Amino acid sequence: MTAPALSRPGVLTGPEPIVGSGHVVGVSPRLVAPAPVWQLRTDVLLVGSGVAALTLAAELAGSGLRVHLVTKGELGDGSTRWAQGGIARANTGPGFSTGSVAATDTPEDVERHVSDTLTAGAGLGDPRTVRQLATDGPGAVRRLADLGARFDLDADGRPALTREGGHSHARIVHAGGDATGAEVQRALQARLHTSLEADEITVAENAFLLDLLRGPDGAVRGAVVALLDATGSCRSVGIVHARATVLATGGLGQVFATTTNPAAVTGDGIAAALRAGAELADLEFVQFHPTVFAGAGPTDDGRHLLISEAVRGEGARIIDAGGVLVMAGAHPLADLAPRDVVSATMASAMAERGVRHLYLDARHLGEPVLDARFPTILARCRENGVDPLTQPIPVRPAAHYTCGGVRADLTGRTSLPGLFAIGEVACTGVHGANRLASNSLLEGLVAAHRLAGFLRGGGLPGSAARGRVTAPRDRAAGVLPGVRAGLALAMEDTAGVLRDPAGLDLLVRRLGEVPLADASEALPGRASWEATNLHTLMAAIAQAAVTRAESRGCHRRTDVDGVRSGWRRHLVATLADDGTGPATVRQEARP
Amino acid sequence: MGIETVGPPSAPPAPGWADEVRRLAKARDAVILAHNYQLPEIQDVADHVGDSLALSRIAASAPHREIVFCGVHFMAETAKILSPGKRVLIPDAGAGCSLADTIHVEELRTWKAAHPGAAVVAYVNTSAAVKAESDVCCTSSNAADVVASIPADTEILFLPDRHLGAHVQRVTGRENLRVWPGQCHVHEGIGGDVLRDAIAADPTADVLVHPECACATSALRLVADGGIAPERVRITSTGGMLDEARRTGARRVLVATETGMLHQLRRANPGTEFAPVSDRAVCPYMKMITPEKLLASLREGRDEITVDEGIAALARDAVERMIAIGSPVAGAE
């Protein structure tokens, strides 16, 4: 069969000739699924149930718009609840609680938040979008507090602020210490339940987004959705007609074998958008967290246990099996260097030694410190047979955040009319080549608020046109779930923290050799759909990674140290409209 | 796969809608006020169309018992502040303002505490609570006059619009003016690149730019660089735009502000073609006021605006101080 292909074009009007594999990777044109047997109509189809989705749901409540939320597992299965750090917002004043005034509160912090974010973004952040994010930040956090989220307060009753790597100023609000995401998820889910009781929204759990539907005018007009049973098998497939379809499906951490993201984070929204003809951008920029627990496999929900940076902040150090300090000499801040530096140094040390993990030595911190500050980490390590008081903790870097995604502005508008993307699924130019800590929850809040305003104020596309809605392409194909684990390991080894062009060439070739099963062979269900989506995104990431011949932000190539002139541009991935290719990764200069 | 689908069209006002609106307004003894950025059908049914402050002053002087304000929340609030004895309705109290949202009264208190002795100049796009904490209000047409009326050695905190603040700073040359970093979702989207593209696409057109626009600085730079003749560009309030529209003989005028303004400009001068610099410059909050909601508002008497009397009194002082400065109020947002 002819599969739409993710390839790199032979000639690009880039800064220099592009040298690479030239291999074409066939990907699934449409997910294999039974014929639809039901349909329903709504104004807004909202896919996802993390911070962006639930904020949008809260802000559309009472607007008179019908909202139908679908989420493939249970509410809140995604990354939001695991966010540890907090929410960065310019420190312009207390904003959401009364209390004494601190001298550090100044409106100038908006400018500093902009510049810190752009610095982290390594030349690819969009200054205008970043300014929108920073300007709207204080209001976004205030609204979340008004919805019932309880942030940590200091002794004067003001929001307690913390500072993280890359921030020039303490401007991060947090909840429950390091449990900000859990509090955000709790508050928003409580609000959702109020909306449910008031019949302001309908919610379908275990409802998997298969493919987007487009009308004769090309606008996205809803989606094909599968209802699953508890095991992930397909119970039935139906059509949701919608005037606006909103992707709030999060990132794609499960592309890599080791990730801090839960099992649900398989990039379904990004892959569906690509199949529908939307533009994706910046997919090569995947942020890795330096330290997850490597002494056991993933948790039941697919995550690797994060060992917080704060453990290194207390004095723990990364060592190899022989006790050698890995970070010594690599950076003036040693173990407290920026995440990308620590991850890259660790990855190269692991490669040199031919090992799959290093160690975090926290033995000298002593029981009182570990017990008081990191009780969860201590308990989880012990459950897995590692006592941090007497043994170094096995650790390795893990995929953490997807900077790229579906191209959209901060109101969620994508390259396709009727299709919106908010939160981690979107690539708005806020993060550029690397995300500043604690900007991700903020982006979800701000984009959802802006989109809610847009949809409520007449931005909802009309549905007057009569006509057929169609899934993107005629042929369906899928990847068999059995190949997923091996590919995720290959992605981690080759397109992970460190990337070399020869390895990437082989990886692209291997991805191209993955057989695409047609409708007669593929068994429809969550496992195969996720494997298929992951395969598509692996191809897109690998093609982008092999094309970008420089090291910038969280994309690190072993053959080029640092950025190269002329590469301040984005790689944009699309599939050809007719489904026959040529699909492209094209370069686009930053204005 | 293909599924037939038929959706309900988004409804234009039903026949007789305007008559029914006018009949209900008369029965309630209500005056209908519509902002320049409202939907054309709302503008056409209203008793008065204008900018927020002009409308608030009309509200105060109108003989009616009730005011139905078709605009965003702070505007209806300002009308209530200036006419405390009247009932003020807004067809959708959820119609907020992205600019007013960028400063909370607690943030203003913090800012003031860090600058004791400074005078606070608040643009009319602010909540009543923020106005109450301010010394004097201003509009886009008189912001420079208001700032100039404050003794030169007094530090000024200007809020909340960064672009209007930069404009005032340019016009007055004042160095001790601090500007709150707020911006409006609509005007921030009309950046220098958008303006340059629009001018390049029609190099002979005249250009009107609202000072809240992110492109206001670029417009001046374009003039300085010879990219466009100075007499063809005006940075002015919506009221000023209307004056320009009445007197212009230009074939085509590019307008950098919310697209609802085009309706009034076209009415003022049907002989000139008025085109938006950005057709994305649509304020969703303004557009929350739909024909159906206006009708429901008149039928059901909602949503009523209330302002705490203590806050209203302080806010009224700030607005009246502006009026006392004496600049004719031709335009405001």
Side-chain angles (χ1 to χ4, degrees):
Chain A
M1 65 176 289
T2 333
L6 264 170
S7 66
R8 291 176 310 105
V11 182
L12 280 174
T13 51
E16 56 214 280
I18 301 302
V19 182
S21 67
H23 292 302
V24 167
V25 181
V27 297
S28 166
R30 178 151 71 82
L31 296 184
V32 176
V37 295
W38 51 265
Q39 53 181 318
L40 62 88
R41 251 169 239 292
T42 184
D43 292 317
V44 179
L45 169 61
L46 177 49
V47 190
S49 58
V51 60
L54 297 186
T55 301
L56 182 64
E59 297 212 14
L60 290 179
S63 67
L65 297 178
R66 292 170 302 171
V67 179
H68 186 59
L69 182 151
V70 300
T71 190
K72 71 177 175 182
E74 290 176 17
L75 284 169
D77 271 357
S79 296
T80 295
R81 73 164 72 247
W82 302 107
Q84 293 190 340
I87 306 173
R89 96 319 179 217
N91 189 19
T92 52
F96 61 83
S97 62
T98 51
S100 61
V101 164
T104 52
D105 295 338
T106 78
E108 288 77 25
D109 199 41
V110 172
E111 293 305 324
R112 293 195 292 259
H113 190 192
V114 169
S115 79
D116 290 348
T117 301
L118 289 172
T119 300
L124 285 186
D126 175 357
R128 185 183 299 174
T129 319
V130 170
R131 183 174 300 285
Q132 292 171 342
L133 181 79
T135 305
D136 286 2
V141 172
R142 199 159 63 226
R143 282 188 297 274
L144 187 59
D146 289 345
L147 275 176
R150 293 186 291 262
F151 295 104
D152 296 336
L153 303 178
D154 66 16
D156 296 326
R158 300 167 42 84
L161 299 177
T162 190
R163 183 176 161 183
E164 290 183 310
H167 286 274
S168 60
H169 199 71
R171 65 167 75 93
I172 294 158
V173 298
H174 48 86
D178 62 356
T180 310
E183 173 59 12
V184 169
Q185 189 76 37
R186 181 205 64 77
L188 289 171
Q189 269 184 223
R191 178 67 186 83
L192 180 73
H193 283 291
T194 310
S195 291
L196 274 169
E197 279 164 20
D199 278 333
E200 291 172 330
I201 190 170
T202 50
V203 171
E205 291 183 311
N206 299 309
F208 195 103
L209 165 71
L210 295 173
D211 272 295
L212 299 166
L213 294 168
R214 298 179 70 177
D217 55 353
V220 171
R221 298 251 295 268
V224 189
V225 170
L227 300 180
L228 308 174
D229 68 15
T231 67
S233 297
C234 180
R235 277 174 39 216
S236 71
V237 170
I239 301 281
V240 181
H241 299 277
R243 294 165 69 188
T245 302
V246 182
L247 301 175
T249 49
L252 45 70
Q254 292 286 333
V255 154
F256 300 91
T258 312
T259 175
T260 61
N261 298 174
V265 185
T266 55
D268 307 314
I270 307 176
L274 181 75
R275 289 192 295 268
E279 292 182 350
L280 311 183
D282 293 354
L283 287 172
E284 65 274 35
F285 299 111
V286 176
Q287 190 179 63
F288 290 82
H289 193 286
T291 52
V292 296
F293 185 64
T299 56
D300 287 346
D301 69 348
R303 291 172 302 117
H304 279 75
L305 173 69
L306 191 63
I307 310 283
S308 160
E309 237 146 37
V311 182
R312 276 175 282 136
E314 292 288 338
R317 289 163 304 187
I318 295 159
I319 57 171
D320 67 8
V324 175
L325 293 175
V326 171
M327 291 306 299
H331 189 276
L333 292 172
D335 288 279
L336 292 174
R339 279 180 190 175
D340 57 328
V341 175
V342 179
S343 294
T345 309
M346 288 175 68
S348 109
M350 285 159 56
E352 275 170 27
R353 292 159 177 77
V355 295
R356 292 199 66 85
H357 62 76
L358 295 166
Y359 296 91
L360 184 67
D361 188 0
R363 289 174 293 187
H364 55 291
L365 302 187
E367 180 145 25
V369 170
L370 286 175
D371 201 42
R373 291 277 285 116
F374 311 108
T376 317
I377 291 170
L378 193 59
R380 287 293 314 279
C381 288
R382 283 173 170 167
E383 279 165 29
N384 287 288
V386 175
D387 184 353
L389 287 171
T390 58
Q391 297 164 276
I393 308 165
V395 290
R396 63 194 323 272
H400 190 52
Y401 188 82
T402 308
C403 299
V406 182
R407 265 191 136 186
D409 64 12
L410 205 53
T411 304
R413 292 175 287 206
T414 69
S415 59
L416 298 179
L419 181 67
F420 301 85
I422 52 174
E424 192 174 351
V425 67
C427 177
T428 62
V430 158
H431 307 300
N434 202 0
R435 176 192 65 120
L436 183 67
S438 287
N439 264 354
S440 41
L441 291 175
L442 178 67
E443 186 189 10
L445 293 169
V446 167
H449 175 67
R450 294 172 78 103
L451 177 57
F454 180 77
L455 294 175
R456 294 180 69 159
L460 195 63
S463 59
R466 177 187 282 268
R468 291 168 74 79
V469 292
T470 49
R473 294 173 178 84
D474 293 339
R475 304 184 64 97
V479 169
L480 299 176
V483 303
R484 173 178 162 178
L487 292 177
L489 276 171
M491 284 299 290
E492 182 155 305
D493 289 343
T494 316
V497 177
L498 294 178
R499 300 160 170 184
D500 81 87
L504 289 168
D505 266 355
L506 284 173
L507 177 67
V508 168
R509 197 189 299 259
R510 178 167 171 193
L511 289 164
E513 286 164 358
V514 172
L516 291 176
D518 66 18
S520 63
E521 308 160 303
L523 213 62
R526 177 169 169 167
S528 68
W529 295 326
E530 288 183 341
T532 305
N533 286 337
L534 288 169
H535 171 258
T536 298
L537 298 173
M538 288 169 178
I541 292 168
Q543 295 283 22
V546 79
T547 304
R548 183 175 289 280
E550 64 161 356
S551 293
R552 180 188 295 274
C554 50
H555 168 75
R556 295 255 174 175
R557 284 267 297 244
T558 54
D559 55 327
V560 193
D561 244 357
V563 300
R564 288 170 78 183
S565 64
W567 268 102
R568 234 182 118 198
R569 50 187 59 224
H570 298 280
L571 298 176
V572 179
T574 48
L575 282 185
D577 249 359
D578 59 6
T580 59
T584 57
V585 172
R586 80 168 188 272
Q587 300 181 37
E588 197 169 283
R590 278 211 49 73
Chain B
M1 163 188 353
I3 300 277
E4 282 299 309
T5 173
V6 190
S10 43
W17 168 82
D19 292 341
E20 179 67 358
V21 165
R22 290 203 186 91
R23 187 189 68 75
L24 285 168
K26 195 165 178 215
R28 296 186 73 95
D29 191 19
V31 61
I32 301 175
L33 308 178
H35 190 267
N36 289 320
Y37 298 166
Q38 288 287 295
L39 292 168
E41 48 271 46
I42 303 274
Q43 294 191 28
D44 290 344
V45 84
D47 295 298
H48 302 279
V49 181
D51 48 63
S52 66
L53 203 76
L55 291 176
S56 292
R57 299 180 81 196
I58 290 168
S61 61
H64 307 76
R65 280 193 311 129
E66 265 188 16
I67 295 154
V68 180
F69 207 115
C70 299
V72 297
H73 192 268
F74 81 82
M75 296 178 179
E77 231 181 25
T78 310
K80 180 69 182 176
I81 290 164
L82 292 181
S83 6
K86 292 178 184 172
R87 191 159 187 240
V88 177
L89 303 179
I90 183 170
D92 185 342
C97 169
S98 59
L99 178 56
D101 271 356
T102 61
I103 186 160
H104 186 269
V105 64
E106 291 290 342
E107 290 171 316
L108 174 53
R109 288 190 185 123
T110 306
W111 202 25
K112 283 168 70 174
H115 300 275
V120 178
V121 178
Y123 189 30
V124 68
N125 289 44
T126 43
S127 67
V130 165
K131 285 190 181 78
E133 282 281 339
S134 302
D135 294 298
V136 55
C137 281
C138 74
T139 71
S140 54
S141 62
N142 69 7
D145 293 334
V146 168
V147 165
S149 76
I150 294 167
D153 57 353
T154 302
E155 190 179 21
I156 296 176
L157 304 182
F158 184 93
L159 62 91
D161 190 275
R162 70 165 78 236
H163 303 294
L164 181 61
H167 179 69
V168 167
Q169 217 155 21
R170 260 192 316 264
V171 172
T172 62
R174 189 137 180 164
E175 282 175 13
N176 59 349
L177 179 85
R178 292 174 181 275
V179 179
W180 190 261
Q183 53 184 0
C184 147
H185 288 182
V186 175
H187 290 100
E188 80 191 10
I190 313 176
D193 49 342
V194 180
L195 180 69
R196 272 191 296 276
D197 289 351
I199 290 176
D202 189 349
T204 63
D206 283 3
V207 184
L208 295 175
V209 177
H210 193 279
E212 274 183 43
C213 286
C215 65
T217 309
S218 309
L220 294 177
R221 204 175 299 134
L222 265 174
V223 168
D225 296 348
I228 185 166
E231 65 274 11
R232 287 178 39 219
V233 184
R234 283 292 309 274
I235 298 178
T236 186
S237 63
T238 48
M241 287 184 179
L242 266 177
D243 294 342
E244 289 291 326
R246 288 190 194 101
R247 84 176 148 246
T248 187
R251 175 188 56 82
R252 194 158 189 267
V253 177
L254 301 173
V255 182
T257 192
E258 214 277 348
T259 56
M261 188 64 206
L262 297 168
H263 188 62
Q264 287 302 313
L265 297 175
R266 288 165 184 158
R267 280 208 330 197
N269 181 351
T272 293
E273 185 195 343
F274 294 94
V277 165
S278 164
D279 56 13
R280 273 198 163 184
V282 177
C283 174
Y285 303 102
M286 286 284 179
K287 271 57 177 183
M288 282 183 194
I289 311 300
T290 58
E292 303 96 303
K293 286 185 197 163
L294 173 56
L295 193 60
S297 175
L298 287 160
R299 280 188 178 143
E300 298 160 32
R302 67 188 170 92
D303 298 331
E304 185 170 357
I305 299 283
T306 56
V307 182
D308 173 89
E309 187 39 50
I311 287 175
L314 288 169
R316 190 153 49 238
D317 288 348
V319 175
E320 280 168 359
R321 258 178 237 126
M322 169 187 76
I323 293 167
I325 286 166
S327 174
V329 178
E333 286 322 304

